[in-house]
Amino acid sequence: DYDTVFDEWNAGQQDASDMEVVIMADLSGSMSSHAGEMSRALWVVRRAIQQASSSSVVSVLGYGTEAGYLGARGEQASANRYERYNCMDNGTMPYKSLNEAVALFATTQRKKRVLITLTDGVWGNEDVCNESIQKLNDAGVVTSLFMFNTSFQTDEIIRKHPLDQRMVLLGHHS
């Protein structure tokens, strides 16, 4: 009805550039040689999103054997320098970060939701991780994966994860 179509307004739903973004960064031991590269990539993506839309919210989660926040929900990235993250955990176990991403996306009012994962390899607890990614895909979250130089076959990784977006290889692929 034309008379009531503008009667209700909800913050976070008025702009196509208004997004909820979760970036997951692999801090496993195998990422040690890519720590600087990954830290810069994370900063560039985070800053680009925040500059493109001041109403977009970015959360940054790190994972290895354990998981935790590298950047709290809505926390702004530094305007002129990136923070270098150290890779120290041995395993590549993103399931705790994926569960946190599912929870974050479930609470947002934003229509555009994006998960960006930075990694170099195959995940532990693969079935659990794939279930979480499938939940996100089913809920309309755009899921994507950025790969760093890896000895794993790209086709193997694509088959293993139900990500619905492109895979980008960063660094020299062997």
mmCIF file of all heavy atoms in Angstrom, residues 2 9 11-12 15 23 25 31 33 37-38 40 55 92 101 115 117-118 121 125 130 136-137 139:
data_model
loop_
_atom_site.group_PDB
_atom_site.id
_atom_site.type_symbol
_atom_site.label_atom_id
_atom_site.label_comp_id
_atom_site.label_asym_id
_atom_site.label_seq_id
_atom_site.Cartn_x
_atom_site.Cartn_y
_atom_site.Cartn_z
ATOM 1 N N TYR A 2 0.625 2.148 -0.918
ATOM 2 C CA TYR A 2 1.447 3.345 -1.076
ATOM 3 C C TYR A 2 1.429 4.219 0.172
ATOM 4 O O TYR A 2 2.420 4.839 0.523
ATOM 5 C CB TYR A 2 0.968 4.141 -2.297
ATOM 6 C CG TYR A 2 1.783 5.385 -2.547
ATOM 7 C CD1 TYR A 2 3.046 5.287 -3.107
ATOM 8 C CD2 TYR A 2 1.310 6.635 -2.192
ATOM 9 C CE1 TYR A 2 3.825 6.404 -3.332
ATOM 10 C CE2 TYR A 2 2.077 7.768 -2.416
ATOM 11 C CZ TYR A 2 3.328 7.647 -2.987
ATOM 12 O OH TYR A 2 4.083 8.760 -3.202
ATOM 13 N N TRP A 9 10.843 2.152 9.256
ATOM 14 C CA TRP A 9 12.228 2.203 8.792
ATOM 15 C C TRP A 9 13.084 1.451 9.774
ATOM 16 O O TRP A 9 12.971 1.628 10.990
ATOM 17 C CB TRP A 9 12.683 3.661 8.703
ATOM 18 C CG TRP A 9 14.111 3.802 8.289
ATOM 19 C CD1 TRP A 9 14.607 3.733 7.034
ATOM 20 C CD2 TRP A 9 15.229 4.045 9.140
ATOM 21 N NE1 TRP A 9 15.958 3.907 7.037
ATOM 22 C CE2 TRP A 9 16.381 4.098 8.325
ATOM 23 C CE3 TRP A 9 15.388 4.204 10.509
ATOM 24 C CZ2 TRP A 9 17.648 4.314 8.831
ATOM 25 C CZ3 TRP A 9 16.650 4.418 11.016
ATOM 26 C CH2 TRP A 9 17.762 4.473 10.167
ATOM 27 N N ALA A 11 17.039 0.519 10.781
ATOM 28 C CA ALA A 11 18.456 0.820 10.553
ATOM 29 C C ALA A 11 19.150 -0.401 9.975
ATOM 30 O O ALA A 11 18.883 -1.531 10.368
ATOM 31 C CB ALA A 11 19.126 1.229 11.862
ATOM 32 N N GLY A 12 20.064 -0.164 9.045
ATOM 33 C CA GLY A 12 20.853 -1.254 8.489
ATOM 34 C C GLY A 12 20.217 -1.923 7.297
ATOM 35 O O GLY A 12 20.791 -2.826 6.725
ATOM 36 N N ASP A 15 20.425 0.507 2.704
ATOM 37 C CA ASP A 15 21.486 0.734 1.738
ATOM 38 C C ASP A 15 22.105 -0.583 1.296
ATOM 39 O O ASP A 15 22.439 -1.418 2.118
ATOM 40 C CB ASP A 15 22.555 1.612 2.413
ATOM 41 C CG ASP A 15 23.627 2.073 1.466
ATOM 42 O OD1 ASP A 15 23.712 1.569 0.334
ATOM 43 O OD2 ASP A 15 24.415 2.937 1.875
ATOM 44 N N ILE A 23 35.592 -11.567 8.790
ATOM 45 C CA ILE A 23 36.833 -12.026 8.176
ATOM 46 C C ILE A 23 37.471 -13.016 9.132
ATOM 47 O O ILE A 23 37.677 -12.711 10.307
ATOM 48 C CB ILE A 23 37.800 -10.860 7.902
ATOM 49 C CG1 ILE A 23 37.141 -9.791 7.024
ATOM 50 C CG2 ILE A 23 39.092 -11.380 7.248
ATOM 51 C CD1 ILE A 23 37.962 -8.515 6.884
ATOM 52 N N ALA A 25 40.820 -15.295 9.834
ATOM 53 C CA ALA A 25 42.236 -15.374 9.474
ATOM 54 C C ALA A 25 42.867 -16.618 10.081
ATOM 55 O O ALA A 25 42.791 -16.845 11.291
ATOM 56 C CB ALA A 25 42.966 -14.129 9.958
ATOM 57 N N MET A 31 50.954 -21.007 8.371
ATOM 58 C CA MET A 31 50.797 -19.658 7.839
ATOM 59 C C MET A 31 51.935 -18.729 8.264
ATOM 60 O O MET A 31 51.970 -17.565 7.870
ATOM 61 C CB MET A 31 49.462 -19.051 8.294
ATOM 62 C CG MET A 31 48.248 -19.573 7.554
ATOM 63 S SD MET A 31 48.155 -18.996 5.851
ATOM 64 C CE MET A 31 47.771 -17.264 6.075
ATOM 65 N N SER A 33 54.978 -18.283 7.368
ATOM 66 C CA SER A 33 55.707 -17.600 6.283
ATOM 67 C C SER A 33 54.822 -16.616 5.531
ATOM 68 O O SER A 33 55.318 -15.838 4.714
ATOM 69 C CB SER A 33 56.301 -18.622 5.309
ATOM 70 O OG SER A 33 55.271 -19.370 4.691
ATOM 71 N N GLU A 37 51.993 -11.046 4.793
ATOM 72 C CA GLU A 37 51.116 -10.991 3.623
ATOM 73 C C GLU A 37 49.635 -11.086 4.041
ATOM 74 O O GLU A 37 48.790 -10.320 3.583
ATOM 75 C CB GLU A 37 51.484 -12.190 2.744
ATOM 76 C CG GLU A 37 51.110 -12.139 1.315
ATOM 77 C CD GLU A 37 51.607 -13.406 0.585
ATOM 78 O OE1 GLU A 37 52.127 -14.354 1.195
ATOM 79 O OE2 GLU A 37 51.437 -13.400 -0.625
ATOM 80 N N MET A 38 49.339 -12.013 4.947
ATOM 81 C CA MET A 38 47.972 -12.190 5.420
ATOM 82 C C MET A 38 47.515 -10.975 6.216
ATOM 83 O O MET A 38 46.395 -10.490 6.049
ATOM 84 C CB MET A 38 47.881 -13.459 6.277
ATOM 85 C CG MET A 38 46.466 -13.847 6.683
ATOM 86 S SD MET A 38 45.937 -13.227 8.299
ATOM 87 C CE MET A 38 47.173 -13.823 9.395
ATOM 88 N N ARG A 40 48.529 -7.861 5.937
ATOM 89 C CA ARG A 40 48.274 -6.751 5.004
ATOM 90 C C ARG A 40 46.981 -6.968 4.224
ATOM 91 O O ARG A 40 46.188 -6.035 4.053
ATOM 92 C CB ARG A 40 49.460 -6.570 4.054
ATOM 93 C CG ARG A 40 50.689 -5.964 4.733
ATOM 94 C CD ARG A 40 51.807 -5.642 3.747
ATOM 95 N NE ARG A 40 52.360 -6.825 3.117
ATOM 96 C CZ ARG A 40 53.322 -7.592 3.632
ATOM 97 N NH1 ARG A 40 53.833 -7.282 4.806
ATOM 98 N NH2 ARG A 40 53.784 -8.640 2.985
ATOM 99 N N SER A 55 28.418 2.529 7.452
ATOM 100 C CA SER A 55 27.430 1.767 8.223
ATOM 101 C C SER A 55 27.697 0.260 8.200
ATOM 102 O O SER A 55 27.018 -0.494 8.883
ATOM 103 C CB SER A 55 26.018 2.054 7.708
ATOM 104 O OG SER A 55 25.920 1.700 6.350
ATOM 105 N N THR A 92 44.870 -26.241 12.049
ATOM 106 C CA THR A 92 43.996 -25.379 11.251
ATOM 107 C C THR A 92 42.574 -25.820 11.560
ATOM 108 O O THR A 92 42.001 -26.646 10.866
ATOM 109 C CB THR A 92 44.314 -25.518 9.746
ATOM 110 O OG1 THR A 92 45.714 -25.275 9.550
ATOM 111 C CG2 THR A 92 43.532 -24.516 8.925
ATOM 112 N N ALA A 101 30.920 -16.932 13.707
ATOM 113 C CA ALA A 101 30.400 -16.234 12.527
ATOM 114 C C ALA A 101 28.909 -16.520 12.344
ATOM 115 O O ALA A 101 28.123 -15.607 12.071
ATOM 116 C CB ALA A 101 31.182 -16.647 11.281
ATOM 117 N N LEU A 115 31.143 -13.621 4.477
ATOM 118 C CA LEU A 115 32.214 -14.285 5.222
ATOM 119 C C LEU A 115 33.423 -14.378 4.299
ATOM 120 O O LEU A 115 33.316 -14.903 3.186
ATOM 121 C CB LEU A 115 31.802 -15.691 5.660
ATOM 122 C CG LEU A 115 32.920 -16.538 6.283
ATOM 123 C CD1 LEU A 115 33.312 -15.980 7.652
ATOM 124 C CD2 LEU A 115 32.495 -17.991 6.397
ATOM 125 N N THR A 117 37.332 -15.799 4.268
ATOM 126 C CA THR A 117 38.286 -16.640 4.988
ATOM 127 C C THR A 117 39.648 -16.572 4.311
ATOM 128 O O THR A 117 39.752 -16.732 3.102
ATOM 129 C CB THR A 117 37.804 -18.109 5.016
ATOM 130 O OG1 THR A 117 36.498 -18.140 5.585
ATOM 131 C CG2 THR A 117 38.729 -18.965 5.849
ATOM 132 N N LEU A 118 40.692 -16.289 5.094
ATOM 133 C CA LEU A 118 42.068 -16.248 4.622
ATOM 134 C C LEU A 118 42.772 -17.481 5.176
ATOM 135 O O LEU A 118 42.832 -17.666 6.388
ATOM 136 C CB LEU A 118 42.775 -14.986 5.116
ATOM 137 C CG LEU A 118 42.086 -13.648 4.844
ATOM 138 C CD1 LEU A 118 42.812 -12.520 5.565
ATOM 139 C CD2 LEU A 118 42.023 -13.373 3.363
ATOM 140 N N GLY A 121 45.341 -23.774 3.599
ATOM 141 C CA GLY A 121 45.232 -25.215 3.467
ATOM 142 C C GLY A 121 43.932 -25.835 3.897
ATOM 143 O O GLY A 121 42.935 -25.160 4.109
ATOM 144 N N ASN A 125 38.621 -31.008 11.346
ATOM 145 C CA ASN A 125 37.173 -31.100 11.621
ATOM 146 C C ASN A 125 36.360 -30.629 10.423
ATOM 147 O O ASN A 125 35.397 -29.886 10.543
ATOM 148 C CB ASN A 125 36.786 -30.292 12.856
ATOM 149 C CG ASN A 125 37.283 -30.921 14.127
ATOM 150 O OD1 ASN A 125 37.914 -31.974 14.097
ATOM 151 N ND2 ASN A 125 37.035 -30.286 15.246
ATOM 152 N N ASN A 130 32.213 -27.724 7.293
ATOM 153 C CA ASN A 130 31.373 -27.693 6.097
ATOM 154 C C ASN A 130 29.899 -27.539 6.447
ATOM 155 O O ASN A 130 29.155 -26.867 5.728
ATOM 156 C CB ASN A 130 31.610 -28.930 5.240
ATOM 157 C CG ASN A 130 32.967 -28.890 4.558
ATOM 158 O OD1 ASN A 130 33.607 -27.856 4.489
ATOM 159 N ND2 ASN A 130 33.394 -30.034 4.060
ATOM 160 N N LEU A 136 25.500 -21.148 6.642
ATOM 161 C CA LEU A 136 25.655 -19.760 6.203
ATOM 162 C C LEU A 136 25.170 -19.584 4.771
ATOM 163 O O LEU A 136 24.451 -18.624 4.463
ATOM 164 C CB LEU A 136 27.119 -19.325 6.338
ATOM 165 C CG LEU A 136 27.647 -19.231 7.770
ATOM 166 C CD1 LEU A 136 29.153 -18.994 7.763
ATOM 167 C CD2 LEU A 136 26.935 -18.129 8.536
ATOM 168 N N ASN A 137 25.558 -20.485 3.883
ATOM 169 C CA ASN A 137 25.097 -20.420 2.494
ATOM 170 C C ASN A 137 23.579 -20.446 2.431
ATOM 171 O O ASN A 137 22.957 -19.654 1.712
ATOM 172 C CB ASN A 137 25.655 -21.594 1.678
ATOM 173 C CG ASN A 137 27.146 -21.501 1.435
ATOM 174 O OD1 ASN A 137 27.756 -20.450 1.560
ATOM 175 N ND2 ASN A 137 27.749 -22.625 1.109
ATOM 176 N N ALA A 139 21.495 -19.519 4.615
ATOM 177 C CA ALA A 139 20.940 -18.286 5.187
ATOM 178 C C ALA A 139 21.198 -17.068 4.302
ATOM 179 O O ALA A 139 20.854 -15.948 4.672
ATOM 180 C CB ALA A 139 21.525 -18.058 6.580
#
